[in-house]
Amino acid sequence: MGAGAGVSTGTAARWVERWERQQQLYAVDREERFAVIADLVEHVAGGRPAPLVLDLGSGPGCLAARLAARLPGAEVLAVDADPLLLELGSAHYGRALRFVNALIGEPGWLDRLGLDRPADAVVSTTALHYLGERTLRRVYGELAGLLRPGGILVNGDHISPDSARMSELARDVGRRHAARHAVCGHEEDWESWWSGAAGDPELAPLLSHGGEGGRAPCEGNDLTVSGHVALLREAGFTDVGAVWQVGPSHVLAAVR
């Protein structure tokens, strides 16, 4: 998959940059969260030869590209179900990443990755909340089996604290933090990005029916931090916990 499928590198660069801007609206302190995730992956996998790293629900590969830059010898897979986002990432980042079309949790989805060895690290940001609790329980178990002993799963997402009062406080902290660190030019949001893509003649042929990518219907879950921790321990992870938080935005780490 690449620019030969009809998307030029210039068009890809422009739309990936727009994607980065609009995503900042939906993740509190997104760049720092990415840096923390890269820190964790480097800590666990940085000393290993050619570590294997997976980014699940990668979109066009923004986090995956940062991981590849942090670990130049790594094999980094960007896994997503949307053909447009995968094509944009492939055209923009080229051979720095390997892009795989797979829907997380779908029967046989791990086979689509074409792995020939255990992974050193699996990361995901703002994606696993799409899965229902039953599906997420199964996916956590599958990922525990995919990782080598000592490997790490890192999930960065909006995850509520364990009480309604703490959730309320976390949301307010998040709003205040976002206001203090507001970046100009955030006129782009999710809906305007996709409507704009539909109007670009290079991108329109790659849009899935409905215009917002190849995503399954969102089951969703309302798991709190302790709910995720319980599922991860049940899946076989030995050490699990939150290692970073700003407002409701958490980074959870689970070591196999």
Side-chain angles (χ1 to χ4, degrees), residues 4 31 57 64 68 82 98 106 113 121 130 134 142 161 163 174 196 213 230 253 256:
E31 201 60 44
D82 183 78
R98 178 158 73 88
E106 183 180 55
L113 307 186
Y130 281 98
R134 179 179 299 179
E142 291 171 330
S163 74
R256 179 72 170 87

Side-chain angles (χ1 to χ4, degrees), residues 34 36-58 61-80 95-100 109-110 113-125 143 146-148 150-155:
F34 278 0
V36 168
I37 292 170
D39 289 343
L40 292 166
V41 173
E42 184 176 27
H43 181 85
V44 169
R48 296 177 64 84
L52 175 60
V53 181
L54 280 60
D55 180 11
L56 304 182
S58 65
C62 302
L63 173 57
R66 288 165 170 80
L67 294 170
R70 181 75 74 92
L71 299 170
E75 179 185 0
V76 182
L77 274 66
V79 182
D80 204 276
R95 296 183 179 180
L97 308 174
R98 178 158 73 88
F99 289 87
V100 180
W109 74 282
L110 288 181
L113 307 186
L115 304 181
D116 59 2
R117 58 189 171 116
D120 294 278
V122 177
V123 306
S124 185
T125 57
L143 295 177
L146 187 68
L147 285 160
R148 66 166 174 82
I152 191 169
L153 168 63
V154 187
N155 181 20

Side-chain angles (χ1 to χ4, degrees), residues 209-226:
H209 181 71
E212 286 196 5
R215 301 187 184 278
C218 177
E219 298 174 298
N221 66 76
D222 57 0
L223 289 168
T224 64
V225 170
S226 64

Side-chain angles (χ1 to χ4, degrees), residues 1 12 15-16 19 22-23 57-62 78 80-93 99 190 193-194 197 203 206-208 212-215:
M1 183 180 297
W15 281 97
V16 170
W19 178 268
Q22 61 95 356
Q23 284 290 292
S58 65
C62 302
D80 204 276
D82 183 78
L84 171 59
L85 298 180
L86 291 169
E87 175 59 29
L88 288 175
S90 182
H92 182 55
Y93 296 114
F99 289 87
W190 176 268
W193 191 94
W194 285 102
L203 306 189
L206 291 165
L207 281 169
S208 298
E212 286 196 5
R215 301 187 184 278

Side-chain angles (χ1 to χ4, degrees), residues 115-207:
L115 304 181
D116 59 2
R117 58 189 171 116
D120 294 278
V122 177
V123 306
S124 185
T125 57
T126 325
L128 297 184
H129 67 263
Y130 281 98
L131 305 181
E133 184 174 343
R134 179 179 299 179
T135 302
L136 185 61
R137 173 182 278 108
R138 176 167 47 81
V139 167
Y140 277 160
E142 291 171 330
L143 295 177
L146 187 68
L147 285 160
R148 66 166 174 82
I152 191 169
L153 168 63
V154 187
N155 181 20
D157 212 336
H158 295 286
I159 303 172
S160 295
D162 292 323
S163 74
R165 180 58 173 156
M166 288 299 104
S167 293
E168 178 188 348
L169 291 173
R171 287 193 297 271
D172 187 58
V173 167
R175 285 192 295 268
R176 292 171 185 267
H177 181 91
R180 287 194 298 271
H181 298 84
V183 178
C184 296
H186 273 176
E187 70 282 353
E188 188 93 81
D189 62 14
W190 176 268
E191 288 78 14
S192 65
W193 191 94
W194 285 102
S195 63
D200 188 315
E202 283 192 69
L203 306 189
L206 291 165
L207 281 169

